[in-house]
Amino acid sequence: MLSETRWWASIRVNNEFDASVMNKVCSVCGEGYNSPENSLFICEGRGCHVGVHQACYGIVSPPTSGVWYCRKCESQERAARVKCDLCPKKDGAFKKTDSGGWAHVVCALYIPEASFGNNTTMEPIVVSKIPKDRFSKNCCICEEQGSESQAMTGACMTCNKLHCRMAFHVTCAQKARLLSEEEDPRDPDNVLYVGYCSHHYGRQVCIASTHVVRLVCVIANCLSSVLAPLTCNLFIANIFPLLLTGNTKFKKTFFKSELISSTSISISESLSCR
């Protein structure tokens, strides 16, 4: 049997955070977990302090000194001149584009026609293939907030719901928690980066929560035979919200964990009886 301590350390984010990382989240994925396999780096640039995961920013060779600078600070370009070509947000995790400008990594992930020249290092961000009509759409989130001028800045993604024409900036949707990572139905190993308008995102969460609540309850019941009640409560409080976020990477890691695998027979039996 896998020990409770070992399992909880492997599933939950590291409890031993560095002070500089404690209250930081990744500017790309929006999560704050920090693990040896995917460390959270904080830029030491003056006035920057942007946080990114190694995998989310394409950091191939982590610095051995412990001091890390994002590409914007590394370039020593004046902060006022670094603007995203795809949205009006001025801070965040930037990379150079193929046109010589700058763009957020998260914008490149969620604008369908944007890509990376090198998928490993995630640079440069290729924006030259983005159709012009994306730059002519107005961000509905900016408009709702009364920012008409910003609404016309950059390029917009559209709601992933079929026939919905609502458009919005990636970073506006990120701030409003409307982005989602979904499994590609055509390729289970591929992740689709999509977003929904506030109306359809609410519907997606309602549909997902019905299945997740049932699944989490079944898993918790199965785990109760090997874990203390307190840990089961911690499981519900910490894991349930993450399973609802649509983070495919987290869900795949979670369901491949040793303890979940060891109870998979009980879980399958419980689900088949319902």
Side-chain angles (χ1 to χ4, degrees):
M1 183 188 299
L2 183 64
S3 72
E4 179 178 330
T5 304
R6 183 179 159 205
W7 174 76
W8 193 245
S10 66
I11 289 295
R12 198 163 180 262
V13 295
N14 289 349
N15 288 315
E16 298 179 359
F17 282 111
D18 184 278
S20 63
V21 180
M22 182 64 82
N23 296 315
K24 286 288 183 178
V25 296
C26 176
S27 180
V28 180
C29 72
E31 295 179 8
Y33 68 84
N34 185 35
S35 67
E37 298 79 19
N38 192 22
S39 298
L40 182 65
F41 288 90
I42 309 299
C43 179
E44 298 289 340
R46 185 176 180 181
C48 182
H49 308 302
V50 67
V52 292
H53 284 118
Q54 185 175 345
C56 294
Y57 197 68
I59 303 174
V60 178
S61 302
T64 55
S65 64
V67 178
W68 178 79
Y69 296 96
C70 69
R71 283 288 188 253
K72 180 185 75 172
C73 294
E74 221 176 38
S75 72
Q76 297 186 343
E77 194 167 337
R78 287 176 57 189
R81 297 183 61 182
V82 179
K83 298 179 181 179
C84 182
D85 291 345
L86 305 176
C87 81
K89 187 180 178 182
K90 297 180 180 179
D91 57 358
F94 288 90
K95 286 282 181 94
K96 274 284 192 180
T97 68
D98 61 338
S99 61
W102 294 87
H104 293 111
V105 173
V106 68
C107 289
L109 286 172
Y110 284 87
I111 295 290
E113 299 84 7
S115 61
F116 300 101
N118 184 310
N119 287 326
T120 302
T121 60
M122 301 178 76
E123 56 190 348
I125 293 174
V126 180
V127 298
S128 55
K129 296 180 181 180
I130 301 175
K132 292 182 179 179
D133 69 312
R134 285 206 180 274
F135 292 90
S136 63
K137 297 180 186 293
N138 287 3
C139 173
C140 65
I141 299 175
C142 285
E143 289 180 334
E144 288 172 2
Q145 296 173 348
S147 304
E148 298 292 336
S149 59
Q150 289 193 346
M152 298 182 287
T153 303
C156 288
M157 64 185 295
T158 52
C159 178
N160 194 49
K161 184 67 175 179
L162 189 65
H163 303 310
C164 182
R165 297 182 180 180
M166 298 298 282
F168 36 81
H169 295 123
V170 174
T171 50
C172 290
Q174 183 185 43
K175 185 177 180 180
R177 299 182 180 277
L178 299 175
L179 298 180
S180 178
E181 294 177 18
E182 299 180 0
E183 190 174 280
D184 188 341
R186 297 165 298 181
D187 181 4
D189 294 325
N190 188 39
V191 175
L192 297 177
Y193 295 92
V194 299
Y196 296 88
C197 65
S198 56
H199 173 69
H200 288 123
Y201 186 85
R203 289 192 169 192
Q204 290 293 118
V205 170
C206 285
I207 294 170
S209 63
T210 302
H211 299 291
V212 173
V213 167
R214 177 185 169 196
L215 180 59
V216 168
C217 288
V218 171
I219 293 174
N221 287 334
C222 293
L223 295 181
S224 62
S225 61
V226 290
L227 297 179
L230 176 61
T231 301
C232 282
N233 290 336
L234 288 172
F235 167 81
I236 295 294
N238 290 271
I239 303 303
F240 175 68
L242 290 174
L243 289 174
L244 272 181
T245 60
N247 189 313
T248 305
K249 295 176 185 176
F250 174 83
K251 285 188 282 190
K252 285 185 177 181
T253 302
F254 170 74
F255 287 111
K256 287 181 181 178
S257 66
E258 189 174 338
L259 186 58
I260 295 299
S261 298
S262 69
T263 58
S264 59
I265 296 177
S266 299
I267 293 169
S268 298
E269 291 175 349
S270 298
L271 285 172
S272 63
C273 294
R274 294 181 177 235

